[in-house]
Amino acid sequence: MLSRKAYRLGLTGWPLGHSLSPGLHRAALHALGLEGEYRLYPIPPGDPSALAGLLGKVRSGELHGLNVTIPHKQAVITGLDRLTSLARATGAVNTVFFEGDDLVGDNTDAPGFALSLRHFLESSPQLQSTPASAANRALVLGAGGAARAVVYALVSAGWRVGVAARRVEQARALADGLQPAPAQGGPISAASLEPDAVRALVGECPPDLVVNATPAGMAPDVLSSPWPSGVCLPPRAAVYDLVYNPRETKLLREARAAGLPASGGISMLVEQAALAFERWTGRSAPREPMYAAVDETAPKGSQPRPPGSLLHEEVNA
Ligand code: NAP
């Protein structure tokens, strides 16, 4: 009698804290009647041999799929045989699997964001004039790994994108690294997150979409917002915050108070996980149980705490 495959999946990063990924993937396995487990493999930064050892488990078949999060999304690349075009374009890997004779690195953050943004834009009646793929303007706050995936997804869908970061040289490096490809979008511009720079940018070319790709506002720093204080949000923009802990960030509250449609990052979290699950299992991911699982486990609304509070709720992918 043939024994059924038991999927051994996992996540590496540091810190992993109360990661939501095990709950998401266990729900998907359970809903499809698949046997398996999803475990956490915390590896601190600067331990390449531990990372190589874990990749060896994927190569040997001991692990069938691995997610990678901060701070290893770039470092993991040197241990892989091949990157998908998305991983190559974004310069970051969040999903690893073995295919043929190759250890392959993929990036599901960019398509996960694109799917989530599409749901958001389609589900809000206020946004009927903001189709997901139009030559509209988007302003992305932050220029780290997640911003790179977001900018790539937006430019691929035809958005004209500006990146604003507190270190303008980081925004320039992101913009230079991603253009001219993909060809559909216009040139990516770079700016500082200083109030005067953002005020001027919003005044000259009001964006239709603002995306927060910084951790500002994430627990325990829930009283922070990446949006510069004293600057009005663009009058007709939709606001998307990648942060999902808490569900309702200060930026989202301010956007709703200004009458703007606003979305947090839970749906991107689920979509990037669903796409990784599909790479590993070859099965269509059961999104409803995955959304239900995250609804049960995600922190619903961390209470604002004063800056500098010692309590720390670390939630990483
Ligand atoms: P990252 O690589 O460390 O980049 C963070 C970026 O934000 C950098 O440009 C950083 O600038 C900037 N930044 C940090 N703190 C800031 C602040 N207080 N004000 C303004 N800018 C600030 O991190 P990442 O991987 O891009 O992740 C960014 C956020 O996205 C995290 O909260 C992460 O949880 C979230 N995320 C969500 C999903 C999802 O599925 N919803 C997926 C991926 C990431 P400096 O370099 O100057 O510090």
Side-chain angles (χ1 to χ4, degrees):
M1 200 174 87
L2 283 175
S3 64
R4 294 177 63 199
K5 177 170 181 171
Y7 286 96
R8 287 183 295 276
L9 311 171
L11 167 70
T12 186
W14 185 274
L16 291 179
H18 312 295
S19 169
L20 302 179
S21 292
L24 276 169
H25 288 282
R26 285 173 193 151
L29 290 167
H30 181 75
L32 295 181
L34 299 174
E35 284 176 27
E37 60 179 19
Y38 186 104
R39 293 176 53 189
L40 299 179
Y41 298 93
I43 295 180
D47 192 350
S49 61
L51 201 53
L54 193 57
L55 290 178
K57 288 181 194 281
V58 186
R59 197 182 283 282
S60 69
E62 198 179 321
L63 275 178
H64 300 108
L66 183 69
N67 276 141
V68 182
T69 188
I70 299 170
H72 302 311
K73 284 184 178 184
Q74 279 88 33
V76 75
I77 290 176
T78 53
L80 303 171
D81 302 319
R82 182 157 60 84
L83 299 182
T84 62
S85 54
L86 269 174
R88 211 174 312 116
T90 54
V93 163
N94 76 336
T95 301
V96 175
F97 53 93
F98 197 66
E99 186 177 72
D101 289 330
D102 291 341
L103 200 53
V104 183
D106 196 4
N107 184 306
T108 65
D109 280 336
F113 169 74
L115 284 166
S116 169
L117 179 67
R118 201 175 72 201
H119 299 324
F120 170 43
L121 297 182
E122 287 174 356
S123 68
S124 174
Q126 289 157 280
L127 295 172
Q128 293 312 313
S129 64
T130 310
S133 57
N136 286 339
R137 290 177 196 283
L139 175 60
V140 177
L141 313 178
R148 215 178 151 77
V150 164
V151 172
Y152 180 83
L154 289 170
V155 174
S156 301
W159 289 79
R160 281 176 289 168
V161 180
V163 182
R166 58 186 178 181
R167 287 184 297 124
V168 70
E169 68 277 12
Q170 192 191 32
R172 281 202 202 100
L174 190 161
D176 292 347
L178 282 181
Q179 52 201 350
Q184 303 100 301
I188 303 164
S189 60
S192 149
L193 248 183
E194 286 298 313
D196 286 348
V198 173
R199 192 178 291 111
L201 199 147
V202 167
E204 282 162 26
C205 317
D208 307 286
L209 174 69
V210 173
V211 181
N212 175 35
T214 82
M218 185 169 82
D221 194 16
V222 295
L223 297 181
S224 292
S225 164
W227 192 254
S229 61
V231 182
C232 293
L233 282 162
R236 280 174 298 281
V239 177
Y240 188 106
D241 197 336
L242 261 64
V243 171
Y244 49 82
N245 174 30
R247 299 289 187 96
E248 196 72 358
T249 59
K250 184 177 181 204
L251 175 64
L252 294 181
R253 285 196 302 278
E254 287 175 348
R256 290 190 216 284
L260 305 178
S263 168
I266 278 285
S267 136
M268 174 178 172
L269 181 78
V270 173
E271 293 297 341
Q272 62 78 28
L275 292 168
F277 184 88
E278 289 173 356
R279 302 281 189 282
W280 297 328
T281 64
R283 306 277 296 264
S284 181
R287 284 172 169 73
E288 271 189 31
M290 295 177 84
Y291 274 100
V294 92
D295 265 347
E296 279 164 23
T297 51
K300 293 280 185 301
S302 308
Q303 289 304 304
R305 293 187 207 124
S309 159
L310 289 176
L311 283 169
H312 192 110
E313 286 178 39
E314 196 67 60
V315 177
N316 206 350

